[in-house]
Amino acid sequence: MPSPWPQTDPTAAQRAAYADAAVLPFWLDDLPAIDPAAALDTAIETDLCIVGGGFTGLWAALHAKHRDPGRDVAVVESHTCGYGASGRNGGFLLSSLTHGLENGLARFADEMEALERLGFDNYAGLRGDLDRYGIDCDFEETGDMSVALEPHELAWLDEGAELMRRYGHEVELLDREQMRAEVRSPTYLGGLWDRTGAAMVHPGKLARGLRDAALAAGVRLYEHTAVEDTRSAGAGVELTTAGGTVAARRVLLATSAYPPLVRSIRRYVLAVYDYALMTEPLSPAQRESIGWSRRQGLGDSGNQFHYYRLSADDRILFGGYDAVYRFGGPVDAQLDDHDATFGKLAQHFFTTFPQLEGVRFTHRWGGAIDTCSRFSVFFGTALGGRLAYATGYTGLGVAASRFGAEVALDLVDGNDTEATRLRYVRSRPVPFPPEPLRSGVVRVTQNRLAAADRREGRRGLWLRALDRAGLGFDS
Ligand SMILES: Cc1cc2nc3c(=O)[nH]c(=O)nc-3n(C[C@H](O)[C@H](O)[C@H](O)COP(=O)(O)OP(=O)(O)OC[C@H]3O[C@@H](n4cnc5c(N)ncnc54)[C@H](O)[C@@H]3O)c2cc1C
């Protein structure tokens, strides 16, 4: 049985469904408007300067204050908090720190027990923080469901279930009928429901809640302020912006897929664009027609996969499949619109839910994913240990960014913890080659991944060689 995705161009009706959609992340558009924090326009001094106001930077700011309320902390953000990946993602809050068990075992088998435990602790700690700081982000503990669309994927679900149970997850395998009773799509052949450490959130509300909490804790925030340079100065670091400078005792870089401010990150991270569509709120009849009463996060199982979920007001977010890498890895608002991908997403949406014919999309957007070859956050220090960074979440950073922030804080503070001793924290991914080779490698790899999807998942010579070299490509 072939993949359910049509090999034809999207129809005029499928294209029309998103033609009027705003090119804007729904999650940010859904927030009450506020005045941004003032930009930096003078020279300041601080104990800790955090560059980047996404989840990593905001968790770091909040926890730095929590650990030591007397410490002066400044966050410098080039746009507004949550403008980057943190305000654009699917909102799948998953406990894994390793982009799933299989990837973790392939790279950190000896540390997997610890990494799973730390991931669960981080997930529980995050829930506790939501309560402690009064952050309402539409948290729904629905679990996460992988669906099989082709027969060979059923065996992957079996293996996945076995592995998850081994690591203490509560999982349920569903056959074709059970899966379709849960969510009504003619594309489904089976499903695997992971009920442990898996929730859906409104990522815009989470970022806004973290921003509010950081401000309430006394963090100084400068928005619309891009850091242009960082360099050692005396016993600290000087950061340069267009309007002013920051003299910081310590610096934490949380700039994700954006052009890195320290050279050493460049070899390891590339910016891959991922795109999503958001529907209008479904009518009660449309809602009824798809089932999905338990509101799980859904993802299909191919190398090129979609992720989709319901929002609190019963819209469907449908994203993924294409991972778009452009020469040099630019990150720019102009890249938020990408018709070729939106056409495909609309076509695949109506293939998944033909009963929703006529539904319109209100928002379409793209976002840059900080992709690294090990598919999970990595860490480092620079400028003689006065600067630390956490980046490379590769599309699974909503929960892991809280852990990344804590570890980066420990590194910049020189703390010795269970986490900082792990090879997971101390080692780096296999670097990507420089351009123009980088684009070539990504293109061939994407081509071979798509080919594997067409050949019942069988990985050819190229992918097997990359697997052996520890060099993966994923969004
Ligand atoms: C479309 C999409 C879907 C995703 N879906 C999921 C999902 O469902 N589940 C999941 O777990 N993960 C998902 N992710 C990944 C997740 O969103 C990220 O891993 C996470 O948000 C990373 O947070 P961050 O703070 O490290 O990066 P970001 O949120 O990108 O924050 C970096 C910030 O740094 C700022 N910045 C950059 N350079 C500078 C500079 N020089 N000076 C000042 N500020 C600067 C940027 O403006 C930005 O606000 C998705 C990502 C995308 C793009």
Side-chain angles (χ1 to χ4, degrees), residues 51-57 76-94 225-228 254-259 261 272 274-276 307 365-370 390-391 393-401:
V51 186
F55 291 148
T56 302
V76 182
E77 161 57 48
S78 57
H79 298 81
T80 47
C81 288
Y83 174 83
S86 299
R88 295 162 188 266
N89 58 71
F92 285 58
L93 183 95
L94 308 182
T225 305
V227 173
E228 293 163 357
T255 55
S256 186
Y258 288 80
L261 288 162
V272 172
D274 188 49
Y275 291 90
Y307 53 90
W365 69 90
I369 285 181
D370 51 348
T391 184
Y393 301 97
T394 319
L396 202 72
V398 173
S401 53

Side-chain angles (χ1 to χ4, degrees), residues 402-418:
R402 182 180 175 279
F403 177 82
E406 294 247 47
V407 171
L409 267 183
D410 283 327
L411 291 176
V412 85
D413 286 345
N415 296 336
D416 176 34
T417 67
E418 179 189 12

Side-chain angles (χ1 to χ4, degrees), residues 443-455:
R443 208 169 29 251
V444 176
T445 307
Q446 287 185 311
N447 179 293
R448 294 295 85 205
L449 285 168
D453 278 342
R454 287 194 299 274
R455 290 194 323 230

